[in-house]
Structures are given as structure tokens and as C-alpha cells.
Amino acid sequence: MSSENTEGLSEGLVQHGIVVGVDGSDQSTCALLWAAREAGRRSAPLYVVTAYTVPVFAASSMDAGYATVDDEVIREGARAVLDEAMSRLEGMALEVYPRIETGDAAGVLLDLSEEAELMVVGSRGRGGFVGRLLGSVSSALPAHAKCPTVVIPVCTGARLGHPELGRRQGKDRDVPAAAVEPVVVVGVDGSEQARTASLAAAEEARSRGLPLRVICSVAPFNGSLAWVPAPVDRKALHADLAVQLAAGRDWLQSHFPDVEITVDLVDGPPAEVLIEASATSELLVVGTRGRGGFAGMLLGSTSQGVLHHARGPVLVVPDRADPRLEDRSSFGPMVPRAG
């Protein structure tokens, strides 16, 4: 394992690679282990990054003004976190760049996403870097990152060969590696963003030599189903969606003829359906926005529920231009564009 202990990323990444945020928590350790495996699979450099800010507080005396905690004390703590993370990677044939950054955790990650190939984070942490990810900035990272982001829950410890990580967090829903199906799953809702996610999911499936399962979930009808402008017969709705899904599969297959692609129309709340799928799939892929259901709520309450309760790695694909989207309409029915 080669490494370069350079603090700060002011000069950008040495080359495009995988960035993982660590803070010493079990959650970030799971993210680190997954990112290391992925870096090895892609033969990509791995950037192990921790970030800290120096807190400022008001002194108790009226004339004392403001005081700051010693920067070096906090930096030493950050170095200890980074050293611990690096010890986890000993013996791995990886090109690793450990980094310490000063600044807000979300801001650091967003800056790095400009040049990174992939960003990996734990779903929760102890504060500071990863602890902020699903807190006040939970919307900013998946919505504004310039590269795909993978969120790793602590319950993936068992499938990563470290079940003790989840147990220390009091988790009893760990999924052993033997229970994980060799399949990539993507959630779609007929939106352009979901099509972008499905292309990314197909690329992930092809690179891993795995089949792709495309899931569309139909939530219990409540009069405001995003797929249709007005209440319709549910059986007719299913039939219409089945035709659209088949057309979408044909379109994907035309761009990925070497990937086995299946489509499933599932009844149930989208978040619950995808959370369940995350437990036994190699990777769950979603887009950042959509017409409704999971993709449309990614920056709202549904997304928070999925990212907090997912039982496997979740890849969030940013909205981006892709020339392959232009020929989708040639393969059959499409949900009309909103607006």
C-alpha cells in the first residue's frame, strides 16, 4: 500500500479516484472498508479524508470577548482518526492518500466531488465529519455533489467481514454476506432523473458482471399518485406502467446488450420497497430527483428514511446530461415530462 500523508487538498486530487470520509466511528469504518474494496475493484486511488473545524465560544467574562480552542489539539485528534483509518488498510494493494482538511464537513465533501470519481460516506457518525452528513446538511450532499455518492450503513459490517461493527451500535439487522444476492437494483419512477440513475446502475452492473433489477413501486393509492393526473382503475394503471417499464428495459438493453436486465412492478410504499431491496442486493441505485415516490422525495422525508434505514450500500446518482437519454422515446411509451 502506497500513501502520501499530505494535509490539505488545496491543489486538488492527484488523479480522479474514490474519496471516503472518516471520523473514527464504526459507521465511517464501514464506509472505509467498502471504499477500499471498491478502489481495488476499479484500480483507482483512494483518498481517506477527515475534516475538522476550530470551535469559537464566548468567554464568561464580559471583557474576555471570544476564545478559540487550540487548533493543534484538535488537529492531533484528527491525525489520530486518520492513523486509525490507515491501519485498517494495512496489507491492501491500494494507492492511498490520507488527508486532513480544515472546514465544514459538507463543504469539504462538496469541493472534493468536483474532481472525484466517487464519494463514500457512512450513514451516521459521532459528529464532526460524517456525523454531519445526515444532519443539517443531509440534503446538500446527495443533491449537489458533482459525482455519485455511496452511503454505507453500519449494518453492512457483517457483509464486509466485520459484524462486530454493527453489534457495537446495538444493531441486530446485519445481513451476512451469504444472504446478499449478486444483483444491482435501481429504483425508477419514469422521470428523466430515474433514467439517468438506471444508466448508472447498468454501468455498475456491467462493471461487476452482475444482472440489473429495475424496480418501480406503486404506493397505496391516495388520490395524489404522481404517475397519473387523476384517479384511475388500479389494474389499468398497472397495465400501463408494465408497458412503460418494458419499453424502458428495451432501451437500457440497447445500450447494455451484455447485461441481464429484469423489471419488477411492486406494490408498496417506495421507500419501504427500496429499503427491503437494499438488504440483499449488492448495490441499490437511486437518482436525486423524480416525479414522486422515492426519487421525487430524495431530498425530503422519504429519502431521509431510506438513507437512515437502508441495509446495504446506496448509490445516489446526480442529475447530469447523457446523450443516451435522447433515444429513449424511440423504444415505446414514456411518462410525459412534468411542466
Side-chain angles (χ1 to χ4, degrees), residues 6-18:
T6 304
E7 296 186 358
L9 290 169
S10 59
E11 297 181 359
L13 305 185
V14 174
Q15 67 183 94
H16 294 289
I18 296 175

Side-chain angles (χ1 to χ4, degrees), residues 40-250:
R41 189 183 71 82
R42 299 187 184 205
S43 298
L46 177 65
Y47 297 85
V48 183
V49 182
T50 192
Y52 73 96
T53 56
V54 179
V56 178
F57 59 91
S60 58
S61 173
M62 290 293 291
D63 59 356
Y66 289 87
T68 61
V69 177
D70 185 2
D71 176 88
E72 190 55 35
V73 172
I74 299 179
R75 180 172 285 270
E76 284 300 321
R79 287 196 187 101
V81 166
L82 207 54
D83 289 344
E84 179 186 359
M86 292 299 292
S87 70
R88 293 270 185 179
L89 304 179
E90 288 182 359
M92 296 186 184
L94 298 173
E95 182 182 357
V96 183
Y97 298 89
R99 306 283 182 153
I100 297 176
E101 277 292 304
T102 304
D104 176 76
V108 168
L109 281 180
L110 289 173
D111 286 345
L112 293 178
S113 74
E114 293 277 358
E115 299 180 61
E117 177 181 336
L118 185 71
M119 185 164 59
V120 183
V121 294
S123 59
R124 295 179 181 86
R126 64 175 50 169
F129 193 96
V130 183
R132 289 287 308 281
L133 296 184
L134 291 183
S136 61
V137 296
S138 59
S139 298
L141 288 173
H144 301 295
K146 302 304 181 183
C147 69
T149 302
V150 179
V151 179
I152 307 294
V154 73
C155 61
T156 58
R159 68 166 78 180
L160 291 168
H162 291 272
E164 75 281 358
L165 295 174
R167 294 189 192 125
R168 287 204 293 262
Q169 298 293 319
K171 304 292 184 182
D172 58 359
R173 304 182 69 203
D174 286 10
V175 180
V180 178
E181 298 177 27
V183 63
V184 174
V185 174
V186 60
V188 300
D189 66 355
S191 67
E192 195 87 340
Q193 290 79 11
R195 294 184 193 109
T196 298
S198 66
L199 288 169
E203 290 169 353
E204 292 292 333
R206 181 169 62 185
S207 71
R208 288 172 164 78
L210 299 177
L212 174 65
R213 181 187 178 201
V214 181
I215 295 181
C216 172
S217 58
V218 182
F221 187 71
N222 60 8
S224 60
L225 194 62
W227 283 98
V228 290
V232 297
D233 179 76
R234 194 169 183 84
K235 185 177 293 186
L237 172 63
H238 273 247
D240 180 54
L241 294 181
V243 171
Q244 294 181 31
L245 280 174
R249 179 198 57 214
D250 292 344

